[in-house]
Amino acid sequence: MKSARTKFTAAVLPLAFTAATLVAAPAATAGESGAEACTHPAWSSKDSDTGRLKSSKWSAPIHTGPNAGCPVTQDIIQSDVIYYHCYAVNSAGNTWTHVRVHVGGSDYSGWVWDDYLNDNGSDFHC
């Protein structure tokens, strides 16, 4: 069984350190939505695990980057097997897993927010 503790620690420790060393940070603006907020971090296939959507989720979008403002390339559904590659932490502190799915005879890859995944996604940082 996977543990979210490793990913949580990896995501929170740098944030705690940054918060302790900064006096003030500029607030996010409404202009950070859409293409401006879409990043494309490097990824590699470090994880051999698979997963599925949480039982409470009927579908989830695959994005081109680890941010809701990034374009959607494909929707996955609950019955799809999701092949994990690795995860990244976005600017909001959310973890996203880079995945591959086989849908209708084609392979699609991209980023899925870990909150959609039944086991919180990959345990391997990109």
Side-chain angles (χ1 to χ4, degrees):
M1 182 170 166
K2 288 185 166 192
S3 167
R5 180 181 309 253
T6 303
K7 201 179 326 182
F8 177 77
T9 302
V12 172
L13 282 180
L15 296 174
F17 177 74
T18 301
T21 59
L22 293 176
V23 175
T29 64
E32 290 181 336
S33 62
E36 299 85 29
C38 189
T39 60
H40 298 92
W43 64 272
S44 62
S45 187
K46 297 179 179 181
D47 198 339
S48 61
D49 204 4
T50 61
R52 294 191 183 270
L53 294 181
K54 287 182 178 176
S55 60
S56 62
K57 307 292 183 190
W58 292 105
S59 68
I62 299 176
H63 293 267
T64 60
N67 189 301
C70 295
V72 173
T73 59
Q74 178 68 27
D75 283 321
I76 52 179
I77 59 172
Q78 208 171 53
S79 62
D80 291 333
V81 176
I82 304 166
Y83 298 89
Y84 297 158
H85 295 150
C86 58
Y87 79 91
V89 181
N90 69 8
S91 60
N94 298 314
T95 58
W96 291 62
T97 295
H98 195 275
V99 303
R100 177 181 62 84
V101 295
H102 190 77
V103 178
S106 297
D107 283 336
Y108 296 91
S109 63
W111 296 92
V112 175
W113 183 30
D114 285 349
D115 193 50
Y116 286 119
L117 303 173
N118 68 334
D119 57 0
N120 297 313
S122 178
D123 285 333
F124 295 87
H125 193 266
C126 292

XYZ file of all heavy atoms in Angstrom, residues 2-62:
433
model
N 0.539 2.182 -0.825
C 1.344 3.388 -0.937
C 1.105 4.312 0.234
O 0.035 4.359 0.792
C 0.984 4.136 -2.214
C 1.469 3.471 -3.432
C 1.162 4.368 -4.567
C 1.920 3.917 -5.760
N 1.891 4.875 -6.804
N 2.107 5.088 0.539
C 1.992 6.057 1.616
C 2.065 7.458 1.040
O 2.949 7.771 0.259
C 3.144 5.862 2.608
O 3.218 6.954 3.480
N 1.115 8.291 1.409
C 1.134 9.685 0.968
C 2.117 10.501 1.790
O 2.437 11.622 1.451
C -0.266 10.288 1.080
N 2.640 9.921 2.879
C 3.550 10.640 3.769
C 4.808 11.105 3.040
O 5.243 12.225 3.206
C 3.927 9.769 4.955
C 4.870 10.448 5.913
C 5.236 9.529 7.047
N 4.065 8.950 7.654
C 3.594 9.304 8.844
N 4.216 10.179 9.553
N 2.525 8.749 9.327
N 5.413 10.247 2.212
C 6.624 10.616 1.498
C 6.375 11.816 0.607
O 7.128 12.764 0.601
C 7.120 9.428 0.649
O 7.315 8.317 1.507
C 8.405 9.768 -0.054
N 5.290 11.776 -0.151
C 4.981 12.859 -1.060
C 4.620 14.123 -0.286
O 5.030 15.214 -0.646
C 3.833 12.446 -1.964
C 3.796 13.252 -3.209
C 2.700 12.903 -4.165
C 2.289 11.497 -4.249
N 1.255 11.290 -5.251
N 3.878 13.974 0.807
C 3.502 15.115 1.629
C 4.747 15.792 2.184
O 4.893 17.001 2.114
C 2.579 14.680 2.766
C 2.208 15.803 3.693
C 1.259 16.730 3.322
C 2.834 15.947 4.924
C 0.915 17.774 4.160
C 2.499 16.988 5.763
C 1.544 17.899 5.383
N 5.678 15.015 2.714
C 6.907 15.574 3.269
C 7.714 16.256 2.184
O 8.230 17.350 2.377
C 7.746 14.464 3.943
O 6.942 13.859 4.944
C 9.004 15.012 4.557
N 7.815 15.629 1.006
C 8.577 16.214 -0.089
C 7.959 17.524 -0.547
O 8.656 18.442 -0.960
C 8.654 15.228 -1.257
N 6.638 17.630 -0.481
C 5.960 18.842 -0.924
C 5.975 19.931 0.143
O 6.075 21.107 -0.167
C 4.513 18.525 -1.301
N 5.887 19.571 1.421
C 5.733 20.556 2.483
C 7.065 21.100 2.997
O 7.172 22.289 3.289
C 4.914 19.962 3.650
C 4.903 20.883 4.844
C 3.499 19.699 3.187
N 8.081 20.274 3.103
C 9.350 20.750 3.643
C 9.935 21.930 2.869
O 10.312 22.931 3.479
C 10.368 19.613 3.734
C 10.163 18.674 4.926
C 11.217 17.592 4.921
C 10.171 19.414 6.240
N 10.000 21.864 1.519
C 10.515 23.046 0.820
C 9.643 24.280 1.032
O 10.141 25.398 1.126
C 10.506 22.615 -0.643
C 10.503 21.135 -0.615
C 9.775 20.749 0.642
N 8.332 24.091 1.139
C 7.438 25.221 1.369
C 7.657 25.817 2.754
O 7.656 27.027 2.929
C 5.981 24.790 1.203
C 5.586 24.339 -0.198
C 4.168 23.804 -0.186
C 5.737 25.462 -1.180
N 7.843 24.967 3.755
C 8.079 25.451 5.111
C 9.386 26.214 5.182
O 9.479 27.270 5.808
C 8.087 24.282 6.097
N 10.415 25.700 4.516
C 11.708 26.375 4.509
C 11.598 27.726 3.817
O 12.087 28.733 4.306
C 12.764 25.509 3.806
C 14.092 26.193 3.722
C 14.903 26.322 4.837
C 14.532 26.720 2.523
C 16.117 26.967 4.766
C 15.742 27.365 2.440
C 16.542 27.484 3.563
N 10.910 27.744 2.659
C 10.736 28.984 1.918
C 9.954 30.001 2.744
O 10.310 31.165 2.808
C 9.996 28.713 0.595
O 10.773 27.776 -0.153
C 9.832 29.980 -0.208
N 8.888 29.559 3.402
C 8.075 30.462 4.209
C 8.894 31.048 5.360
O 8.713 32.205 5.737
C 6.850 29.739 4.751
N 9.789 30.264 5.926
C 10.589 30.741 7.047
C 11.644 31.754 6.613
O 12.071 32.586 7.400
C 11.276 29.554 7.740
N 12.049 31.702 5.339
C 13.104 32.598 4.883
C 12.582 33.843 4.171
O 13.334 34.771 3.938
C 14.076 31.850 3.944
O 13.339 31.345 2.836
C 14.791 30.748 4.682
N 11.311 33.860 3.829
C 10.744 35.019 3.147
C 9.984 35.903 4.129
O 9.311 35.422 5.013
C 9.772 34.567 2.050
C 10.390 33.825 0.873
C 9.280 33.365 -0.049
C 11.353 34.712 0.126
N 10.085 37.198 3.922
C 9.328 38.122 4.742
C 7.916 38.243 4.194
O 6.950 38.155 4.919
C 10.023 39.501 4.788
C 9.171 40.501 5.536
C 11.394 39.373 5.414
N 7.805 38.445 2.887
C 6.497 38.545 2.264
C 6.617 38.075 0.830
O 7.641 38.256 0.195
C 5.998 39.984 2.293
N 5.563 37.480 0.332
C 5.522 37.042 -1.055
C 4.345 37.730 -1.721
O 3.332 37.967 -1.088
C 5.361 35.533 -1.119
N 4.480 38.061 -3.005
C 3.361 38.705 -3.688
C 2.194 37.745 -3.814
O 2.381 36.547 -3.967
C 3.943 39.055 -5.067
C 5.123 38.160 -5.234
C 5.631 37.883 -3.854
N 1.001 38.270 -3.723
C -0.197 37.448 -3.837
C -0.416 37.049 -5.285
O -0.021 37.752 -6.205
C -1.406 38.231 -3.334
N -1.057 35.905 -5.485
C -1.396 35.465 -6.829
C -2.463 36.389 -7.390
O -3.300 36.920 -6.666
C -1.905 34.033 -6.791
N -2.425 36.596 -8.684
C -3.407 37.466 -9.318
C -4.295 36.643 -10.229
O -3.963 35.524 -10.607
C -2.707 38.554 -10.159
O -1.988 37.904 -11.219
C -1.769 39.383 -9.314
N -5.405 37.235 -10.588
C -6.326 36.549 -11.482
C -5.685 36.276 -12.833
O -6.078 35.374 -13.541
C -7.590 37.381 -11.661
N -4.657 37.026 -13.208
C -3.974 36.838 -14.475
C -3.156 35.569 -14.546
O -2.631 35.234 -15.594
N -3.030 34.832 -13.440
C -2.234 33.617 -13.456
C -3.045 32.392 -13.875
O -2.615 31.282 -13.687
C -1.608 33.370 -12.083
C -0.523 34.361 -11.757
C 0.115 34.091 -10.413
O -0.518 33.478 -9.555
O 1.265 34.517 -10.233
N -4.184 32.607 -14.462
C -4.956 31.477 -14.963
C -4.658 31.314 -16.448
O -4.090 32.180 -17.087
C -6.446 31.713 -14.752
O -6.850 32.850 -15.478
N -5.052 30.172 -16.981
C -4.858 29.928 -18.396
C -3.417 29.610 -18.741
O -2.682 29.044 -17.955
N -3.008 29.999 -19.948
C -1.703 29.626 -20.478
C -0.553 30.199 -19.660
O 0.504 29.593 -19.581
C -1.587 30.080 -21.928
N -0.730 31.364 -19.014
C 0.346 31.956 -18.225
C 0.757 31.047 -17.063
O 1.899 31.024 -16.676
C -0.054 33.327 -17.660
C -0.390 34.377 -18.691
C -1.833 34.282 -19.147
O -2.689 33.841 -18.382
O -2.084 34.644 -20.319
N -0.192 30.332 -16.497
C 0.079 29.494 -15.329
C 0.498 28.079 -15.722
O 0.831 27.284 -14.865
C -1.163 29.432 -14.441
N 0.490 27.755 -16.998
C 0.789 26.395 -17.434
C 2.295 26.208 -17.603
O 2.914 26.825 -18.459
C 0.074 26.091 -18.749
S 0.202 24.355 -19.197
N 2.855 25.352 -16.742
C 4.270 25.015 -16.844
C 4.396 23.596 -17.385
O 3.432 22.830 -17.364
C 4.953 25.099 -15.471
O 4.318 24.180 -14.586
C 4.866 26.516 -14.901
N 5.567 23.252 -17.857
C 5.810 21.922 -18.415
C 7.108 21.358 -17.834
O 8.136 21.340 -18.500
C 5.863 21.984 -19.941
C 4.577 22.447 -20.544
N 4.325 23.763 -20.830
C 3.447 21.763 -20.854
C 3.100 23.866 -21.320
N 2.552 22.670 -21.339
N 7.059 20.902 -16.575
C 8.278 20.367 -15.956
C 8.739 19.084 -16.643
O 7.950 18.354 -17.233
C 7.862 20.090 -14.507
C 6.386 19.989 -14.532
C 5.908 20.822 -15.678
N 10.045 18.854 -16.557
C 10.604 17.619 -17.109
C 10.053 16.421 -16.343
O 9.798 16.510 -15.149
C 12.124 17.656 -17.005
N 9.862 15.324 -17.040
C 9.368 14.101 -16.403
C 10.059 12.903 -17.047
O 10.596 13.004 -18.153
C 7.848 13.975 -16.520
C 7.373 13.835 -17.938
C 7.064 14.848 -18.797
C 7.206 12.615 -18.666
N 6.709 14.343 -20.010
C 6.787 12.963 -19.966
C 7.375 11.279 -18.354
C 6.521 12.014 -20.951
C 7.114 10.334 -19.334
C 6.689 10.705 -20.604
N 10.051 11.804 -16.350
C 10.547 10.545 -16.902
C 9.748 9.411 -16.272
O 9.097 9.596 -15.250
C 12.041 10.374 -16.640
O 12.295 10.320 -15.252
N 9.824 8.261 -16.896
C 9.062 7.114 -16.411
C 9.839 6.414 -15.294
O 10.572 5.477 -15.530
C 8.772 6.153 -17.563
O 7.909 5.132 -17.125
N 9.658 6.897 -14.057
C 10.354 6.358 -12.887
C 9.521 5.330 -12.132
O 10.042 4.600 -11.305
C 10.718 7.493 -11.923
C 11.678 8.498 -12.504
C 11.979 9.595 -11.504
C 12.958 10.597 -12.069
N 13.278 11.646 -11.104
N 8.221 5.310 -12.374
C 7.301 4.490 -11.594
C 6.710 3.393 -12.477
O 6.324 3.661 -13.609
C 6.179 5.384 -11.052
C 5.407 4.784 -9.897
O 5.436 3.556 -9.729
O 4.755 5.551 -9.171
N 6.644 2.177 -11.973
C 6.035 1.086 -12.740
C 4.633 0.753 -12.222
O 4.024 -0.222 -12.659
C 6.923 -0.165 -12.674
O 7.053 -0.589 -11.331
N 4.120 1.577 -11.330
C 2.816 1.324 -10.724
C 1.687 1.810 -11.636
O 1.887 2.639 -12.528
C 2.729 2.027 -9.371
C 1.710 1.388 -8.439
O 1.113 0.361 -8.796
O 1.518 1.931 -7.337
N 0.498 1.280 -11.384
C -0.708 1.732 -12.075
C -1.748 2.117 -11.037
O -1.623 1.784 -9.862
C -1.294 0.630 -12.972
O -1.656 -0.489 -12.166
C -0.323 0.207 -14.053
N -2.752 2.815 -11.479
C -3.838 3.201 -10.593
C -5.112 3.403 -11.381
O -5.168 3.159 -12.582
N -6.105 3.879 -10.681
C -7.407 4.189 -11.280
C -7.934 5.461 -10.616
O -7.369 5.947 -9.655
C -8.382 3.045 -11.077
C -7.978 1.782 -11.830
C -9.111 0.775 -11.809
N -8.730 -0.450 -12.466
C -8.893 -0.710 -13.765
N -9.428 0.192 -14.551
N -8.529 -1.868 -14.280
N -9.038 5.942 -11.135
C -9.679 7.090 -10.502
C -10.308 6.660 -9.187
O -10.678 5.494 -9.014
C -10.760 7.667 -11.415
C -10.296 8.285 -12.724
C -11.500 8.823 -13.489
C -9.275 9.382 -12.501
N -10.459 7.606 -8.269
C -11.199 7.336 -7.031
C -12.617 6.913 -7.390
O -13.167 7.355 -8.409
C -11.256 8.595 -6.161
C -9.964 8.938 -5.497
C -10.134 10.160 -4.619
C -8.843 10.476 -3.900
N -8.953 11.710 -3.108
N -13.212 6.107 -6.544
C -14.566 5.629 -6.823
C -15.580 6.767 -6.879
O -16.622 6.642 -7.508
C -14.989 4.590 -5.786
O -14.973 5.154 -4.491
N -15.262 7.896 -6.260
C -16.179 9.037 -6.271
C -16.019 9.904 -7.524
O -16.784 10.837 -7.728
C -15.958 9.897 -5.029
O -14.634 10.413 -5.022
N -15.053 9.584 -8.366
C -14.798 10.364 -9.587
C -15.168 9.527 -10.805
O -14.672 8.423 -10.988
C -13.315 10.758 -9.695
C -12.755 11.459 -8.486
C -13.344 12.831 -8.314
C -12.709 13.539 -7.130
N -13.380 14.745 -6.776
N -16.033 10.043 -11.652
C -16.433 9.315 -12.861
C -15.479 9.579 -14.005
O -15.297 8.735 -14.878
C -17.853 9.684 -13.256
C -18.826 9.162 -12.259
C -19.489 9.887 -11.305
C -19.218 7.808 -12.064
N -20.270 9.061 -10.533
C -20.115 7.768 -10.988
C -18.887 6.606 -12.698
C -20.699 6.582 -10.531
C -19.463 5.429 -12.245
C -20.361 5.431 -11.172
N -14.876 10.756 -14.028
C -13.913 11.088 -15.077
C -12.948 12.137 -14.542
O -13.211 12.777 -13.515
C -14.618 11.607 -16.333
O -15.221 12.866 -16.082
N -11.834 12.286 -15.248
C -10.834 13.283 -14.876
C -10.086 13.713 -16.131
O -9.855 12.897 -17.032
C -9.856 12.710 -13.850
N -9.696 14.977 -16.192
C -8.968 15.457 -17.366
C -7.466 15.179 -17.267
O -6.888 15.197 -16.185
C -9.239 16.966 -17.325
C -9.427 17.267 -15.874
C -10.071 16.047 -15.275
N -6.859 14.918 -18.411
C -5.403 14.880 -18.527
C -4.990 16.229 -19.092
O -5.446 16.629 -20.171
C -4.925 13.750 -19.455
C -5.346 12.390 -18.915
C -3.406 13.814 -19.631
C -4.976 11.235 -19.832
